Amino acid sequence: MDDAEKYRRSIGFWRCSTMVMGIACVGLAVAFIATVVIKNKELEESAGSALPCPSQDGGLLTSGDPSEPSPFHDLTIAEYRRLHEFLAKQTDINLAPADTAAVNTSNIFIVDLLIPAKQQVLSFLDNQGTQPAREARVMVFRGDKPTPVVEEYKVGPLNDPAYATLIQNPQRRNPVQFTVRPVGALEFGTVHKNIMSLVDQEVGDILQASYGGTLTECGDTCLTYYPTPVGSGLTGDIDTRTIWFWGNYPAEYYSLYPLDFGVCVDLTSSDFSQWRVTKVWYSGTIYDSLQDLKTRYHSDPATSKTRVDYVHNSKKLKTTQSLRGDPAPETPKRPPVQVEPDGKRYSIQHRHVTYMHWDFDIRLSALTGPQAYDIRYHGDRIAYELGLSEIAVFYSGDNPVQRVTDFIDSGALIGTHSKSLIPGADCPEGATFLNVSFLGEGMGEPTTLERATCVFEQNTGIPLRRHLSYSREQGAFYGGMADSVLVVRSILTIVNYDYIMDFVFHQSGAIEMRAVSTGYILSTFYRPEEAPYGFRLDEHINGNVHHHMFHFKADLDIGGTSNRYETLDISEEEVQLRQISPTATYRQTKFDRNPRVTETDAVYKFNFDTPKYHIVHNEQKKTQYDVPRAFRIHIDGMSKQLLTQGMDNERTIPWARQQLAVTVHSDHELVSSSPYAMFDSRDPVTNFTNFISDQSIVDKDLVFWVTMGVHHIPHTEDLPVTPTVGGHLSFFLLPYNYFPECPSVSSRDNIRVEYVTPNTPADGLKVERNGNKENGACGALTLEQLVRQRPDDILQTNNEFKLL
């Protein structure tokens, strides 16, 4: 048996009839059993038992780490350990032990899976080739070097590491300047020990008088702080590292308790003894140093001073999510829950998911978050890769901290922020929960984040399709089905914001990629000067305007890797209205096929005046009527990035300039951004503009880069936490002449109601459920009971009010 065959068997490529495993069930009450993977062992958690659980024929079939991981599987615990042991022996890398790691030593910042070259993977998956060697991308902070740098290594093979070589990529430099490294725990801890103690030493009395607390050795009246990187596009010098640390109260939640105090710190050197405070913000004024603030505060009566009471953490604070107000409903009643009456209809083997006619692999990248690979419908590959590439949030304000707050989140290690998904709130109680492991800064062993991803089937509560034919002349029937979908969810809690990321697989052959924002706003201390940038939401809270932006990568393989991209451009035309008179005219819409030839030609910026469809197809794969079998890209949730192109920190998010870009696949263009983007805007390590050229995109392996976003001007209803309503952003991959009909016609979920004898109501109705049992909710008639008791309530062909 070759490697490819072993892999296909391991993921259930041939669906075995003997796969049976009880994994999760949901009763109409609160009963549930949820299975999670913790440190490679299954753990069942159960609470209550109101109804018996049905027998299961799906769910998490194979848990824990596989002995032979697929090309897409995240690093296993064993692989992390072998990698770390190997790197620790490499004298040229000079890793410091975890317990002695510091800013001025050599340290692993993060380890992530390095996906093999696409053609190697396809040869393995499709042509029984050898599985490519599994390798890791390892970011190492080399604070130990005379000229400190960040180095990225390719380490492999992971089953028995034998090499660690610097990654060579023509699209991005390596090594990278030490000054643009992401903010890490070692640096943050060193700042607290050395800088914040200095701040307290110099102006601790001012902090105590102004805010009722200090930063260090503060007992139960501590102040906290958070870093805001300053992009080199603002400072003009990529060889200098600058971070503002702004003050807060450590109450629930600290981003709603800002102080009008912050310090700007030069952290350029790997020698922390050279770090220094370069600016201070206090009470509406910028000072050149701590000494400058101290001197003017005590000697100049005109100096603006702040006096606010210390905020102690308490559930009584109106910024908490504790219950308050008039409880609803008046009598406690549990919310609706979903029921899986016959068990799960999906299965998971390690990280390979099978649902109806769908099957695909999922992973959680440490750097870029949720990803899906080798997405197939009925065995046909629709997408080789689909997932998040970057998140950015750009703020505005009058104060110097908010004014430079431009977060690009891959530097915060996006995937490591999905964990602790809560059954009954974040995911249904009956969802299957998956863990993920990471190895990062200051860690001698990999750590496991529990409940990092959940998988569940969901009845969306809306029909996927339906039609009711009222009259006997039109057939007198009903046909329809609920839109039950499979959802793969991660929720990324990146500091104050929570981003819900969903892959949604529909029975119509459509895929939805959804991003929803919630969490706490990042507020500023209220001052009248902040009025152009946000509303005053509370005594000391100003909710400043900001722009959320999301970038996604969709490597589509429609009918193979030879694809074309065209738009169907919708326009108005004036035509003769011959039925009226020879000279009468009429205006209507039409469309023209517009094949896009180059990457530059394919850049799309939304314009209401030029509506269009975005179509991807293989020119050699057509219907019997010579129509391309295609998929359509439909984008909801678009927003315009308003900042001037090429100025300030905009240079680090050029992917946000358009809503869609199309490029020829390159193994060197894995993601559109980099973890250095918060600092490198003077000279971006990864510059998305370099992905786009005049290269032909006709009959090529194409990658589609989708941008979504939303401008957010906070309001009082965003307190305490921003609700998700109105914040759903999605793009869809929709079959477009790809199937001869909607593939959901093969779903047993379809319900049809018709007369037993056509056009003879007296003979009664029959219900077709395609082998499924009838469903019923507590206290409600089932459809079958309704048909027997009140048949004319269904089709209503005898109703006196006749409808066409």
Side-chain angles (χ1 to χ4, degrees):
M1 185 182 299
D2 60 31
D3 290 341
E5 187 174 341
K6 289 179 182 177
Y7 172 61
R8 284 191 293 270
R9 284 186 183 274
S10 72
I11 64 174
F13 190 85
W14 299 307
R15 293 174 175 83
C16 301
S17 61
T18 59
M19 292 179 179
V20 179
M21 177 177 178
I23 223 39
C25 59
V26 169
L28 289 175
V30 74
F32 71 92
I33 297 178
T35 294
V36 297
V37 184
I38 297 181
K39 299 186 188 219
N40 305 316
K41 294 182 180 179
E42 291 177 17
L43 171 66
E44 289 190 350
E45 300 175 351
S46 60
S49 181
L51 291 175
C53 293
S55 62
Q56 305 289 309
D57 59 359
L60 186 62
L61 296 181
T62 307
S63 65
D65 285 338
S67 58
E68 297 182 9
S70 80
F72 310 116
H73 197 287
D74 285 309
L75 271 73
T76 66
I77 295 289
E79 288 176 327
Y80 276 125
R81 287 172 176 160
R82 286 193 293 263
L83 176 144
H84 189 270
E85 181 180 356
F86 172 76
L87 290 179
K89 297 176 181 178
Q90 306 310 300
T91 56
D92 56 329
I93 298 178
N94 193 32
L95 286 183
D99 57 354
T100 61
V103 177
N104 60 356
T105 65
S106 177
N107 313 295
I108 293 176
F109 179 65
I110 194 65
V111 178
D112 204 5
L113 180 68
L114 187 61
I115 299 294
K118 181 177 179 179
Q119 287 305 314
Q120 294 180 18
V121 177
L122 293 183
S123 175
F124 166 63
L125 294 176
D126 301 340
N127 300 317
Q128 298 185 334
T130 301
Q131 177 171 342
R134 281 174 55 80
E135 298 174 323
R137 171 187 177 185
V138 183
M139 289 179 60
V140 181
F141 289 176
R142 296 304 304 270
D144 61 319
K145 287 196 167 186
T147 302
V149 292
V150 180
E151 297 173 337
E152 295 194 19
Y153 289 90
K154 175 173 63 177
V155 181
L158 293 178
N159 63 329
D160 185 17
Y163 53 83
T165 58
L166 285 175
I167 296 174
Q168 302 298 317
N169 186 333
Q171 287 286 23
R172 59 200 305 274
R173 61 187 180 272
N174 183 28
V176 176
Q177 295 96 324
F178 197 63
T179 51
V180 300
R181 68 191 184 279
V183 179
L186 293 176
E187 181 178 38
F188 199 81
T190 307
V191 166
H192 181 79
K193 182 178 180 180
N194 295 276
I195 297 298
M196 296 308 162
S197 59
L198 175 64
V199 172
D200 272 351
Q201 179 181 328
E202 293 291 329
V203 298
D205 60 327
I206 299 176
L207 298 180
Q208 186 67 51
S210 301
Y211 311 112
T214 56
L215 296 164
T216 62
E217 299 181 4
C218 42
D220 62 353
T221 56
C222 289
L223 307 177
T224 189
Y225 51 92
Y226 190 77
T228 294
V230 181
S232 57
L234 304 180
T235 64
D237 184 4
I238 200 169
D239 294 320
T240 299
R241 179 179 180 84
T242 305
I243 300 179
W244 273 96
F245 294 89
W246 43 270
N248 305 83
Y249 287 119
E252 185 181 333
Y253 185 70
Y254 79 90
S255 69
L256 294 180
Y257 291 98
L259 309 179
D260 55 346
F261 174 80
V263 293
C264 186
V265 184
D266 184 330
L267 302 166
T268 301
S269 176
S270 62
D271 179 358
F272 60 81
S273 67
Q274 297 184 32
W275 294 357
R276 59 191 181 89
V277 175
T278 60
K279 297 288 182 183
V280 181
W281 168 256
Y282 170 74
S283 193
T285 303
I286 296 179
Y287 296 88
D288 290 332
S289 65
L290 292 169
Q291 186 61 45
D292 183 28
L293 167 60
K294 184 176 183 178
T295 300
R296 292 168 60 181
Y297 180 92
H298 290 293
S299 62
D300 185 355
T303 298
S304 175
K305 298 178 181 179
T306 297
R307 293 290 187 273
V308 294
D309 294 331
Y310 186 86
V311 179
H312 289 277
N313 202 19
S314 168
K315 288 187 177 181
K316 295 181 179 180
L317 294 175
K318 59 183 177 182
T319 54
T320 71
Q321 296 189 63
S322 299
L323 180 67
R324 52 185 174 272
D326 296 329
E330 291 184 8
T331 301
K333 293 183 179 180
R334 290 165 290 189
V337 296
Q338 296 227 33
V339 178
E340 296 169 310
D342 299 313
K344 296 199 178 304
R345 306 197 298 180
Y346 62 88
S347 64
I348 305 173
Q349 289 193 304
H350 299 302
R351 292 299 183 267
H352 185 84
V353 182
T354 302
Y355 171 69
M356 305 293 190
H357 298 308
W358 290 105
D359 66 272
F360 51 92
D361 287 84
I362 57 175
R363 65 177 290 253
L364 195 60
S365 165
L367 289 163
T368 57
Q371 313 290 319
Y373 295 91
D374 196 23
I375 302 173
R376 304 187 188 211
Y377 191 89
H378 250 316
D380 291 343
R381 182 177 295 112
I382 305 301
Y384 174 75
E385 178 183 358
L386 177 64
L388 182 64
S389 186
E390 186 62 279
I391 302 173
V393 193
F394 275 38
Y395 285 83
S396 300
D398 176 74
N399 75 76
V401 181
Q402 197 84 340
R403 183 159 283 184
V404 299
T405 301
D406 296 331
F407 291 126
I408 299 92
D409 286 339
S410 61
L413 305 179
I414 291 174
T416 66
H417 293 276
S418 185
K419 55 185 175 181
S420 302
L421 299 181
I422 302 301
D426 297 330
C427 312
E429 286 96 337
T432 301
F433 293 87
L434 305 174
N435 292 1
V436 67
S437 299
F438 295 112
L439 178 66
E441 192 177 32
M443 295 167 53
E445 275 280 312
T447 188
T448 297
L449 302 182
E450 301 171 8
R451 298 177 182 263
T453 299
C454 66
V455 182
F456 57 92
E457 188 178 9
Q458 178 182 40
N459 182 328
T460 63
I462 191 170
L464 175 64
R465 51 177 171 79
R466 63 94 68 187
H467 182 69
L468 173 62
S469 179
Y470 291 94
S471 68
R472 277 173 273 179
E473 292 79 6
Q474 295 176 1
F477 67 90
Y478 168 85
M481 62 178 284
D483 188 18
S484 293
V485 301
L486 188 76
V487 179
V488 179
R489 172 170 295 167
S490 302
I491 303 182
L492 312 166
T493 304
I494 305 177
V495 193
N496 56 302
Y497 264 109
D498 298 65
Y499 299 111
I500 303 168
M501 295 290 171
D502 289 346
F503 297 93
V504 185
F505 297 88
H506 296 258
Q507 295 186 60
S508 62
I511 306 170
E512 178 183 356
M513 191 78 222
R514 182 166 60 208
V516 188
S517 302
T518 180
Y520 289 89
I521 65 170
L522 188 65
S523 66
T524 57
F525 193 89
Y526 172 75
R527 296 168 48 251
E529 292 82 358
E530 299 291 347
Y533 311 105
F535 292 106
R536 187 178 188 179
L537 307 182
D538 204 71
E539 183 178 4
H540 299 304
I541 298 177
N542 202 79
N544 291 47
V545 61
H546 53 281
H547 189 194
H548 294 277
M549 294 163 279
F550 305 88
H551 205 218
F552 295 88
K553 179 182 182 182
D555 184 343
L556 304 185
D557 289 348
I558 308 301
T561 57
S562 178
N563 283 174
R564 294 185 180 186
Y565 164 61
E566 65 180 55
T567 57
L568 306 183
D569 298 344
I570 304 171
S571 60
E572 181 191 52
E573 68 170 356
E574 185 176 1
V575 296
Q576 288 184 330
L577 202 60
R578 295 185 298 271
Q579 64 268 42
I580 301 297
S581 75
T583 59
T585 61
Y586 175 74
R587 288 169 178 80
Q588 62 183 6
T589 57
K590 65 173 186 126
F591 74 87
D592 296 292
R593 293 181 62 179
N594 185 355
R596 303 305 172 119
V597 178
T598 67
E599 292 176 338
T600 303
D601 185 37
V603 172
Y604 169 69
K605 297 182 179 181
F606 179 77
N607 184 345
F608 265 114
D609 295 328
T610 58
K612 51 180 55 65
Y613 274 23
H614 303 274
I615 305 299
V616 190
H617 66 93
N618 185 323
E619 183 64 14
Q620 304 304 315
K621 305 292 179 67
K622 297 187 178 182
T623 70
Q624 60 180 335
Y625 307 110
D626 202 36
V627 175
R629 295 181 60 212
F631 263 68
R632 174 190 168 206
I633 301 174
H634 174 67
I635 310 173
D636 284 338
M638 295 179 286
S639 64
K640 184 176 177 59
Q641 205 292 99
L642 297 172
L643 302 180
T644 302
Q645 183 172 314
M647 298 296 293
D648 306 323
N649 286 337
E650 192 278 339
R651 284 176 288 189
T652 204
I653 55 165
W655 47 263
R657 296 171 186 171
Q658 58 277 317
Q659 284 69 57
L660 179 66
V662 185
T663 62
V664 176
H665 170 84
S666 169
D667 292 318
H668 297 304
E669 297 173 353
L670 296 177
V671 292
S672 55
S673 185
S674 84
Y676 313 102
M678 273 194 274
F679 290 97
D680 71 359
S681 51
R682 181 73 174 175
D683 181 18
V685 173
T686 298
N687 191 335
F688 185 69
T689 59
N690 295 334
F691 289 23
I692 301 171
S693 69
D694 289 328
Q695 181 178 3
S696 172
I697 60 172
V698 179
D699 298 332
K700 299 293 179 63
D701 187 359
L702 301 182
V703 177
F704 297 81
W705 304 87
V706 179
T707 306
M708 299 191 297
V710 60
H711 294 279
H712 185 193
I713 305 175
H715 47 93
T716 53
E717 291 79 9
D718 286 320
L719 302 178
V721 169
T722 299
T724 60
V725 180
H728 292 61
L729 310 176
S730 294
F731 73 90
F732 298 81
L733 304 177
L734 305 171
Y736 197 77
N737 299 313
Y738 187 85
F739 302 105
E741 59 184 346
C742 180
S744 69
V745 295
S746 68
S747 174
R748 293 185 185 274
D749 293 358
N750 185 68
I751 296 175
R752 180 177 174 85
V753 183
E754 60 185 358
Y755 288 112
V756 173
T757 304
N759 296 318
T760 309
D763 290 346
L765 295 168
K766 63 179 179 181
V767 178
E768 294 180 2
R769 288 189 179 270
N770 306 295
N772 281 343
K773 301 174 184 177
E774 63 181 89
N775 275 333
C778 294
L781 293 176
T782 67
L783 176 59
E784 284 76 6
Q785 290 171 331
L786 187 62
V787 163
R788 290 192 293 269
Q789 295 182 23
R790 301 200 301 269
D792 199 49
D793 284 1
I794 306 299
L795 301 183
Q796 301 194 34
T797 54
N798 296 323
N799 197 312
E800 293 182 1
F801 183 65
K802 299 296 183 181
L803 298 175
L804 293 179

